[in-house]
Amino acid sequence: MSARHFLSMLDYTTDELLGLIRRGSELKDLRERGVLYEPLKNRVLGMIFEKASTRTRISFEAGMIQLGGQAIFLSPRDTQLGRGEPIADAARVMSRMVDAVMIRTFAHSNLTEFAANSRVPVINGLSDDLHPCQLLADMQTFHEHRGSIAGKSVAWIGDGNNMCNSYIEAAIRFDFELRVACPEGYEPNAELLKLAGARVRVVRDPREAVAGAHLVSTDVWASMGQEAEAEARMRLFHSFQVTRALLDGAAKDVLFMHCLPAHRGEEISEDLLDDPRSVAWDQAENRLHAQKALLELLVEHAHYA
Ligand code: CP
Ligand code: NVA
């Protein structure tokens, strides 16, 4: 199948990613100026959600409508996927009817299997391993507030989860230094760490990770699918809470990001999203703009097999 997918940041070159976030800012500006821009008229995005979502669903659905197209929300509960229809069959059928498919799922292999059998672009809306759409928004947000992130230092605090893995991929492509502070046994993907080399370092003390950082980011301690571990994780992660005091050890102009949803009093202190260093709301908004740039690239310019 010849369609181009977006399953990981590493599927794209640095220039392509920079182009996407630049385009995201342009599309944001068009929308702020009330300019109608509908290059995806008559195009349809299928969205399969095996996990819950607020931002991802709304930003993709609103994004398609704003670009002149439509989006269809599909959950396993209401489709044959939930009753055991093979992923490859669903991919063959769906991709004959829609122009792109966004999938939020558990095993990353569900995405690669769907993509291998799809005639149209497949977008990773989060898997257990990666969350690349969020990183487009995070990188766009940093660039809008501070300019290029190349050569800057970034701290990831907490679980070495899907978001952390995507930060490692971003460190590789956007060329920044990343320090990950996580408890032992909760490190990010070992292959990605190897690929990143000296650019990414794992430490145990959040203060060490944050020292001098230009961007600090965190996420929930128990991701979707890890509900049974939540209580044990609360105990293990308690010293990894990001607070105003922790941010005081970072660079003076540090930005704080959280992909949301946030659990105040757990991975962040109650007041952190109200701190002037937090750009979490801009970051959430940029999901819309960055993904519109992605849809424009993948759907408008696609020539299907
Ligand atoms: N950040 C993010 O992906 O949010 P949702 O789970 O609400 O989509
Ligand atoms: N790590 C979180 C991110 C949610 C957007 C999860 O997978 O649940």
Side-chain angles (χ1 to χ4, degrees):
M1 304 278 163
S2 64
R4 183 137 197 226
H5 307 295
F6 185 73
L7 305 187
S8 137
M9 297 218 110
L10 298 182
D11 295 343
Y12 288 71
T13 65
T14 299
D15 282 348
E16 285 175 325
L17 293 170
L18 286 170
L20 274 174
I21 64 171
R22 214 174 295 126
R23 185 66 182 148
S25 295
E26 283 170 14
L27 292 174
K28 182 177 188 172
D29 180 57
L30 283 186
R31 180 164 152 74
E32 277 165 9
R33 291 191 286 117
V35 178
L36 216 60
Y37 176 64
E38 299 186 321
L40 300 190
K41 214 163 178 53
N42 217 20
R43 302 298 189 99
V44 178
L45 173 72
M47 306 189 299
I48 300 173
F49 279 94
E50 292 194 300
K51 292 174 176 171
S53 167
T54 297
R55 280 143 289 269
T56 304
R57 176 177 177 181
I58 297 170
S59 54
F60 270 110
E61 196 161 329
M64 276 307 287
I65 294 169
Q66 289 165 16
L67 292 169
Q70 292 277 341
I72 303 175
F73 173 81
L74 300 156
S75 88
R77 217 186 3 216
D78 318 306
T79 61
Q80 301 291 2
L81 270 171
R83 298 178 62 251
E85 181 166 18
I87 290 173
D89 292 0
R92 289 186 188 106
V93 173
M94 265 185 84
S95 70
R96 286 172 182 238
M97 298 180 182
V98 301
D99 299 282
V101 180
M102 187 243 80
I103 305 177
R104 169 167 284 198
T105 189
F106 291 88
H108 193 76
S109 57
N110 292 339
L111 273 161
T112 50
E113 191 182 347
F114 195 103
N117 291 282
S118 171
R119 291 179 172 189
V120 302
V122 177
I123 298 169
N124 180 357
L126 180 146
S127 68
D128 287 347
D129 294 357
L130 296 171
H131 195 5
C133 288
Q134 182 68 54
L135 261 290
L136 286 181
D138 290 20
M139 294 298 102
Q140 184 181 328
T141 307
F142 191 92
H143 277 244
E144 286 176 353
H145 281 270
R146 297 283 183 265
S148 174
I149 197 166
K152 303 281 187 192
S153 62
V154 177
W156 176 267
I157 311 298
D159 192 17
N161 61 12
N162 43 10
M163 275 296 298
C164 181
N165 289 333
S166 284
Y167 260 91
I168 297 175
E169 295 195 339
I172 294 170
R173 284 293 183 262
F174 289 87
D175 195 24
F176 56 80
E177 187 206 337
L178 178 65
R179 292 187 294 268
V180 176
C182 62
E184 255 184 89
Y186 294 86
E187 291 82 8
N189 180 283
E191 277 171 39
L192 277 178
L193 279 176
K194 208 163 131 197
L195 196 66
R199 211 185 257 110
V200 180
R201 209 153 50 84
V202 175
V203 299
R204 299 297 167 208
D205 182 352
R207 284 166 306 187
E208 187 184 343
V210 162
H214 304 98
L215 168 61
V216 175
S217 189
T218 190
D219 186 13
V220 292
W221 290 338
S223 286
M224 290 180 277
Q226 298 172 334
E227 289 75 11
E229 296 171 36
E231 244 178 71
R233 282 170 171 263
M234 293 312 127
R235 286 191 294 276
L236 259 160
F237 281 81
H238 78 274
S239 59
F240 289 82
Q241 186 183 77
V242 183
T243 61
R244 285 180 158 156
L246 185 70
L247 287 189
D248 290 343
K252 261 206 154 43
D253 63 347
V254 67
L255 295 178
F256 172 73
M257 293 192 196
H258 190 310
C259 65
L260 305 176
H263 293 184
R264 291 171 175 82
E266 293 178 16
E267 77 276 1
I268 54 166
S269 54
E270 296 284 347
D271 54 1
L272 200 67
L273 295 180
D274 305 315
D275 189 282
R277 294 168 289 191
S278 168
V279 288
W281 313 125
D282 292 343
Q283 180 192 1
E285 179 189 333
N286 279 339
R287 292 293 303 278
L288 172 69
H289 310 299
Q291 288 161 198
K292 281 169 75 176
L294 180 66
L295 289 165
E296 182 187 41
L297 176 80
L298 291 180
V299 181
E300 191 191 5
H301 307 303
H303 299 285
Y304 306 133

